[in-house]
Amino acid sequence: MTLHLINKSPARSSALNDCLSVLEFDNNSASAILLIEDAVYAALNRSSYAYLQEKIKSLAIPCYVLKEDMLLRGLHAGLIESFSIVDYAGFVQLSIDYNKVQSWS
Amino acid sequence: MTPKNILVIVRQSPYSSILSAATLDIVLTAAAFEQTLTLIFMGEGVLHLLSSQDSKASGLKNISKALPSLELYEVDQVFVEKDALKERNLKTENLVMRPDTLSLSQIAETIEKADQVFNF
Amino acid sequence: MQSFTLVVYGSPDTQAASTAYNFAQALLKAGHQIYRLFFYQDGVFNACSFNTPPQDEENLPASWQTLIQEYDLDAVVCVASALKRGIVNDAEAERYDLAASNLRKGFEISGLGQLIDGVIQSDRVINFLP
């Protein structure tokens, strides 16, 4: 029951990749991922990050994208549909819904 | 009050990030507060432990020097990711201390059990 | 109502610092409580009172100060990180014979133990990494 908070683009950091390699072994945790700051680029549809999106899908982990950071970067049209969009109020609520928040940079 | 289960994960290489310094400080402070501490070196983070580090020519502080002192502070739950050593052609003999190795599935388990994770 | 400790590791120039600020505002608006703001490593620059950014840029340290004073928040700056980077209060400026002090009103300087205390006492600790 961990909310994994990722803030770097997969092009710059192994954060999302490392997080997923741990989650792969986390069989019944009901964890989730929230992409903020540059990590929102990982949600670009039909991008070279499709392999990460497929992995998230295959692990059946809910993945959220922070709305304000997505809008800032002009991505509102091209995001993968299986990810959900939350604003800061949703970010606060997610951090309460899960037992703890782990930040990966 | 029951002690919190605090997990510190080090994933970044030793001389690239300001967070290397934070790691040891947080671990030692948490130990002083008598919390339950676990430290895991993952990915490039295992390079913190490489015993051949020599800082003389660089003017920087040798990060590996302080690590064996963890045992003095009774931080005995120190682990390295098994695959991270293998991927870098390293063995525990190459390290400044001899931590037990953990698989990714054991790391996942440790994360789930922790009350708080610091991931640097 | 849940209590939070927010740990800010990035200078006001990083988006991480501004994310922490936005999160703080959102959680207070939702009726939750901030047990402590902890400024660590380069995060201590958020507590500097000497910063004078261009007029078209947000002055994040000033915004923190307003938030801290409005909600009477506990805002702790790590002493080791602060001294190393030249953020000092009156007492430290005198002790090290420095030309001036530059810690913003509302912030206080204390030890890393305050972060561990935050882990022990609050429901959630969120790390805003640069």
Side-chain angles (χ1 to χ4, degrees), chain A residues 1-2 14-15 18 21-22 25-26 29 31 100-105, chain B residues 9 11-12 19 42 104-105 107-108 111-117 119:
Chain A
M1 278 289 281
T2 302
S14 64
D18 290 355
S21 51
V22 167
F25 290 97
D26 191 10
S29 76
S31 292
K100 60 178 177 283
V101 180
Q102 179 179 182
S103 304
W104 301 70
S105 180
Chain B
I9 299 178
R11 285 170 41 249
Q12 301 190 19
L19 294 173
M42 262 183 90
L104 279 174
S105 106
I107 292 174
I111 290 176
E112 252 343 280
K113 279 191 209 142
D115 294 311
Q116 181 63 43
V117 184
N119 185 327

Side-chain angles (χ1 to χ4, degrees), chain C residues 16-97:
Chain C
S18 137
T19 301
Y21 176 77
N22 292 338
F23 187 87
Q25 275 196 316
L27 83 86
L28 292 167
K29 201 174 154 194
H32 301 295
Q33 185 204 333
I34 291 181
Y35 176 74
R36 179 164 296 139
L37 298 170
F38 191 84
F39 295 88
Y40 193 30
Q41 303 280 335
D42 282 353
V44 301
F45 289 119
N46 289 280
C48 183
S49 63
F50 283 0
N51 63 309
T52 43
Q55 281 194 344
D56 61 344
E57 278 178 29
E58 197 198 351
N59 186 339
L60 191 57
S63 302
W64 278 119
Q65 184 183 344
T66 307
L67 192 74
I68 289 163
Q69 291 176 333
E70 186 183 342
Y71 288 90
D72 195 20
L73 302 177
D74 187 24
V76 173
V77 178
C78 170
V79 61
S81 302
L83 287 177
K84 194 168 157 177
R85 291 168 178 81
I87 307 293
V88 289
N89 59 12
D90 291 343
E92 301 290 357
E94 197 173 326
R95 187 162 156 214
Y96 292 96
D97 198 18

Side-chain angles (χ1 to χ4, degrees), chain A residues 41-83:
Chain A
Y41 291 126
L44 264 178
N45 206 4
R46 295 166 194 267
S47 66
S48 58
Y49 305 133
Y51 71 103
L52 292 167
Q53 296 159 0
E54 281 306 311
K55 204 165 174 182
I56 292 169
K57 215 169 155 186
S58 72
L59 296 171
I61 299 163
C63 187
Y64 301 90
V65 182
L66 187 64
K67 184 181 174 184
E68 286 82 350
D69 284 339
M70 173 197 91
L71 292 174
L72 174 67
R73 288 166 175 77
L75 303 186
H76 38 289
L79 291 193
I80 179 159
E81 283 174 8
S82 55
F83 293 1

Side-chain angles (χ1 to χ4, degrees), chain A residues 5 7-8 36-38 69 72-73 88-89 91-92 95-96 98-101 103-105, chain C residues 2 4 15-20 22-23 26-27 30 32 123-130:
Chain A
L5 188 61
N7 76 338
K8 293 284 184 299
I36 65 167
E37 300 169 16
D38 265 5
D69 284 339
L72 174 67
R73 288 166 175 77
Y88 268 99
F91 180 1
V92 170
S95 73
I96 292 165
Y98 289 84
N99 290 342
K100 60 178 177 283
V101 180
S103 304
W104 301 70
S105 180
Chain C
Q2 302 277 305
F4 287 77
Q15 205 199 339
S18 137
T19 301
N22 292 338
F23 187 87
L27 83 86
H32 301 295
D123 297 315
R124 293 288 182 277
V125 176
I126 323 250
N127 290 293
F128 293 91
L129 299 174

Side-chain angles (χ1 to χ4, degrees), chain B residues 16-88:
Chain B
S16 63
S17 160
I18 54 162
L19 294 173
S20 283
T23 306
L24 205 60
D25 292 345
I26 286 183
V27 168
L28 295 181
T29 308
F33 273 66
E34 295 180 342
Q35 305 300 298
T36 308
L37 240 293
T38 307
L39 177 60
I40 303 178
F41 293 90
M42 262 183 90
E44 286 210 319
V46 300
L47 298 168
H48 278 82
L49 293 162
L50 201 58
S51 60
S52 52
Q53 294 175 63
D54 181 353
S55 63
K56 270 196 246 54
S58 72
L60 294 173
K61 193 167 159 184
N62 186 335
I63 282 177
S64 67
K65 283 272 192 280
L67 294 173
S69 70
L70 288 171
E71 281 156 355
L72 300 177
Y73 294 91
E74 291 172 17
V75 182
D76 43 357
Q77 301 276 91
V78 182
F79 301 100
V80 286
E81 181 197 350
K82 196 188 278 172
D83 289 348
L85 288 179
K86 208 165 86 189
E87 284 161 13
R88 287 159 188 81

